[in-house]
Amino acid sequence: MPELDGLGVLDELMDAVGPEAMPLTIFVTAYDQHAVRAFEANALDYLLKPFSDERFEATMARVKNRLKNQLDQRSLHEFGQRLMQMIAAKPSAPRRLDRLVVKSGGATRFVRVAEIDWIEAAGVYVTLHLNSNFAPKSAGTEILYRSSLAELAERLDPARFIRVHRSTIVNIESILQLEPISHGEFDVVLKSGARTRISRSYRAQLEERLGQSL
């Protein structure tokens, strides 16, 4: 090496690629006076000639272990980056409805969800059953609203509304009592006097919401 020795090559490489991209380095030399400088340059090993096959194999084993650790750390770092990207790209939860805009007979009415006692599926519509304390006498307590029951269940606050049947959602605050029927089913008696049914398949959801068994 007429112009640069091994340490000079490392210095040039460091300037070119930076410390993060530096390759693993092993010095093989007949001179022991450069050992300190070699390890200061983060050399993985320093083989002093003559060396045995066992010494060489031990060095190669160290290289393999170091490369494996670097790959594991890189994989973990890349996984962390992908996870952060997924979290950043995760869509925000849908905004819960606080009122419904109902168009009927050329007029537009705003119905606060707190006014709703229960909701009943009606084909591509649902029927909103309003608390009589809130419903104007001229408008009645039943309003037809264009939405599927499943779509509305996703948009309503689960802390207030719970689906109790494939065709029914009730406002928990409007429930007066439950009356057992048979085989795990209950009649829901609302404060308004209206009645609906809790089916067995939706009973577990209500129990989870209440935090206790029925």
Side-chain angles (χ1 to χ4, degrees), residues 39-180:
F39 287 113
E40 287 177 347
N42 293 321
L44 183 62
D45 208 343
Y46 193 93
L47 294 181
L48 189 63
K49 299 177 182 178
F51 50 83
S52 65
D53 290 344
E54 291 78 7
R55 178 74 173 85
F56 179 78
E57 290 174 359
T59 297
M60 290 300 101
R62 291 184 63 196
V63 171
K64 291 178 181 178
N65 286 334
R66 180 67 65 86
L67 286 173
K68 181 179 182 301
N69 290 337
Q70 287 183 348
L71 289 174
D72 290 344
Q73 291 175 3
R74 184 179 306 166
S75 298
L76 184 61
H77 177 68
E78 291 175 351
F79 172 75
Q81 287 184 323
R82 290 197 300 270
L83 184 61
M84 292 302 295
Q85 290 171 354
M86 291 171 61
I87 293 174
K90 184 179 179 180
S92 58
R95 183 172 178 268
R96 300 300 181 186
L97 294 172
D98 59 357
R99 67 195 65 232
L100 301 178
V101 178
V102 182
K103 296 181 179 180
S104 178
T108 299
R109 180 177 174 183
F110 292 86
V111 178
R112 293 190 301 116
V113 296
E115 302 172 8
I116 302 172
D117 276 342
W118 61 294
I119 305 169
E120 183 180 16
V124 295
Y125 289 82
V126 294
T127 300
L128 308 177
H129 296 269
L130 305 184
N131 188 305
S132 58
N133 294 328
F134 297 103
K137 293 181 180 180
S138 59
T141 59
E142 296 183 1
I143 301 177
L144 204 60
Y145 179 70
R146 187 174 179 85
S147 171
S148 70
L149 194 73
E151 179 183 356
L152 204 52
E154 289 292 328
R155 300 292 308 280
L156 292 171
D157 185 355
R160 178 184 290 271
F161 289 91
I162 185 74
R163 193 166 181 175
V164 296
H165 192 277
R166 62 184 179 84
S167 61
T168 312
I169 297 172
V170 298
N171 185 337
I172 295 176
E173 298 298 324
S174 298
I175 297 176
L176 175 64
Q177 63 186 32
L178 304 178
E179 296 179 356

Side-chain angles (χ1 to χ4, degrees), residues 21-40:
M22 284 293 288
L24 299 178
T25 306
I26 299 170
F27 277 80
V28 180
T29 179
Y31 305 100
D32 60 1
Q33 63 265 34
H34 302 303
V36 174
R37 289 187 59 198
F39 287 113
E40 287 177 347

Side-chain angles (χ1 to χ4, degrees), residues 1 3-19 22-23 25 27 34 36-43:
M1 303 178 70
E3 297 183 4
L4 290 175
D5 60 11
L7 291 166
V9 171
L10 281 184
D11 290 339
E12 292 289 332
L13 192 57
M14 177 74 76
D15 292 339
V17 303
M22 284 293 288
T25 306
F27 277 80
H34 302 303
V36 174
R37 289 187 59 198
F39 287 113
E40 287 177 347
N42 293 321

